[in-house]
Amino acid sequence: MTFTVARRTAVTAVTTALALAGLVASVAPAATATPQVSPPRAPAAQALAAPDIPIANVKAHLTQFQAIAGANGGNRAHGRPGYRASIDYVKGKLDAAGYTTSLQQFTTSGAIGWNLIAEWPGGDAGQVLMAGAHLDGVSSGAGINDNASGSSAVLETALAVSRAQLRPTKKLRFAWWGAEELGLVGSRYYVNNLPAAERAKLTGYLNFDMIGSPNPGYFVYDDVPALEKVFKDYFTGLGVATEIETEGDGRSDHAPFKAVGVPVGGLFTGASRAKTAAQAQKWGGTAGQAFDRCYHSSCDTTANISDTALDRNSDAVAHAVWTLGTAPTVPPGDTYENAADVAIPDGGAAVTSSITISGRTGNAPPTLAVGVDIKHTWRGDVVIDLVAPDGSVYRLKNSSANDSADNIIATFPVDASSEPANGEWKLRVQDVVAQDSGFIDSWKLTF
Ligand code: DTR
Ligand code: ZN
Ligand code: ZN
Ligand code: CA
């Protein structure tokens, strides 16, 4: 015996008696069905497809950054007026598009710097998708491939979100970092000042630093397979081969996020490393020459851009934001439990225990997990069914004469996708052979 009389509460006895009388449904709402996690959110049926990002718009931003550098001593470096002018340009576009923007100020190398953060209204504030790029350049030039390219692609993606009046499932947050060129200062400052509870809401950070290199490669960060896949799938659809980014892993603003456990991903078209013959074979361009011969130099101008690479990567940014930002976010794992004991009469009638689900949308999942905890001294006697709200029966376990082991503590996956989630679900248990018996200790449904 693995149970005692004391475990059989009065509630159990009443439930059992009613069950035997076929009246259990009338008291079902009294069952201790308890959602153990926050209630579900309304899902999107599936992720939405991103629009094409107009390359002309992205290039128009590059032209503006070039002009900003030209009007401010030739650069957009931290601590210089060209950086602040760059911030003002991006912020102005976002404010006009309906974003909630904020500047985060920090000081490094004796000068004030800023991160620009922009949030799109709507989406689940508890599940944040971030995309970002560093907005500063080195002091030797306008910093167009490094990194007006990433800054402009993220900006144009944010503006496309606004044009579409996108209703994402996740909260979309875009960031333009200061002082990356001084050692990831701005992004590190942001991460270090993000409370742990806020960090925990980040479902991903996507980084775009140098995505229009004039002799381009197509590199995808491989830090997190699920994020890597979103980008790789996009390039596969274009018929463009990709490689894993290896030119200095951790050399950009994703590193501080990765260091605290945020899933990171991103794109890169190469810096000072030379393109190999094999890479020139698959991507075109010039073997033996740097991906970006103007890296960190005065010739990093609007002439230092592959339009094809910038176009493909800008579309890939949007693809990732749409795919990840509009994916259904019904949290897997909402669990409802009934822990009231129900005696199973020996060689007797079936008994049931109910869980009433409310407040969900749509049908149950194709892998509804039915967790069963039945204490019994000869489990082969026991037949178990799941009964859906409309009465459909799913056999979980048959009797088997020779299975003399104790207890059934198991999780049975059920394809319940044809059943509306809401309503009264029942676990129906029958002991079909006299001698040993037991009781339902608890059971649960995980949606
Ligand atoms: N952090 C960049 C250049 C850079 C070098 N390796 C990588 C790898 C991935 C992204 C960027 C980079 C710069 O701003 O100079
Ligand atoms: Zn740089
Ligand atoms: Zn950079
Ligand atoms: Ca029995």
Side-chain angles (χ1 to χ4, degrees), residues 134 136 145-147 180-181 209-210 251-252 295-296:
H134 74 85
D136 67 313
N145 186 36
D146 185 15
N147 185 34
E180 188 270 355
E181 298 290 5
D209 184 1
M210 304 181 71
R251 273 180 63 187
S252 193
Y295 178 60
H296 283 187

Side-chain angles (χ1 to χ4, degrees), residues 42-386:
Q46 58 182 48
L48 302 172
D52 181 80
I53 298 298
I55 183 64
N57 293 12
V58 182
K59 290 190 73 179
H61 300 313
L62 297 186
T63 300
Q64 292 300 314
F65 288 123
Q66 181 77 55
I68 286 169
N72 290 281
N75 68 62
R76 302 182 305 102
H78 169 75
R80 310 288 184 89
Y83 182 71
R84 178 68 209 210
S86 298
I87 284 276
D88 292 343
Y89 173 73
V90 177
K91 186 173 184 299
K93 296 280 181 195
L94 295 165
D95 287 339
Y99 278 85
T100 303
T101 60
S102 59
L103 290 181
Q104 182 181 43
Q105 187 175 314
F106 57 88
T107 301
T108 192
S109 300
I112 288 172
W114 300 271
N115 295 322
L116 170 60
I117 309 293
E119 284 198 348
W120 181 242
D124 180 351
Q127 300 186 64
V128 180
L129 174 67
M130 285 192 78
H134 74 85
L135 186 57
D136 67 313
V138 292
S139 57
S140 48
I144 298 303
N145 186 36
D146 185 15
N147 185 34
S149 66
S151 294
S152 299
V154 174
L155 172 59
E156 194 56 30
T157 296
L159 298 178
V161 165
S162 171
R163 285 193 293 269
Q165 287 294 295
L166 190 66
R167 296 168 62 92
T169 51
K170 299 208 180 82
K171 171 62 73 183
L172 301 182
R173 184 182 299 160
F174 299 93
W176 289 263
W177 308 117
E180 188 270 355
E181 298 290 5
L182 301 182
L184 319 180
V185 176
S187 54
R188 184 168 288 128
Y189 185 85
Y190 177 82
V191 170
N192 287 346
N193 287 282
L194 200 59
E198 292 303 310
R199 273 183 203 170
K201 296 174 183 171
L202 298 181
T203 62
Y205 170 71
L206 307 177
N207 192 59
F208 304 98
D209 184 1
M210 304 181 71
I211 59 168
S213 303
N215 184 29
Y218 293 90
F219 299 103
V220 178
Y221 299 6
D222 72 337
D223 304 87
V224 173
L227 300 180
E228 180 184 10
K229 181 179 187 309
V230 172
F231 291 117
K232 284 172 73 171
D233 285 352
Y234 185 75
F235 283 101
T236 299
L238 293 182
V240 174
T242 59
E243 289 185 12
I244 293 169
E245 189 286 300
T246 59
E247 192 179 351
D249 197 18
R251 273 180 63 187
S252 193
D253 298 298
H254 57 297
F257 289 88
K258 183 177 177 176
V260 298
V262 175
V264 301
L267 298 173
F268 178 57
T269 51
S272 49
R273 188 181 281 179
K275 183 180 274 188
T276 67
Q279 289 170 330
Q281 275 282 319
K282 59 178 158 186
W283 291 325
T286 310
Q289 193 176 95
F291 295 106
D292 182 358
R293 285 193 292 179
C294 291
Y295 178 60
H296 283 187
S297 64
S298 60
C299 61
D300 186 9
T301 66
T302 49
N304 188 45
I305 288 287
S306 158
D307 287 3
T308 301
L310 185 66
D311 189 12
R312 290 170 172 170
N313 281 296
S314 298
D315 289 340
V317 174
H319 172 77
V321 167
W322 256 257
T323 302
L324 297 166
T326 68
T329 56
V330 168
D334 273 357
T335 295
Y336 304 79
E337 182 171 36
N338 186 342
D341 293 0
V342 178
I344 305 166
D346 189 17
V351 294
T352 62
S353 174
S354 297
I355 292 175
T356 299
I357 306 295
S358 63
R360 299 197 71 89
T361 10
N363 283 4
T367 51
L368 178 67
V370 186
V372 172
D373 183 349
I374 292 174
K375 303 300 195 298
H376 200 282
T377 51
W378 190 295
R379 69 184 182 192
D381 292 359
V382 179
V383 178
I384 311 175
D385 293 313
L386 176 72

Side-chain angles (χ1 to χ4, degrees), residues 346-347 376 381 431 433-437:
D346 189 17
H376 200 282
D381 292 359
D431 180 318
V433 182
Q435 191 157 340
D436 289 82
S437 67

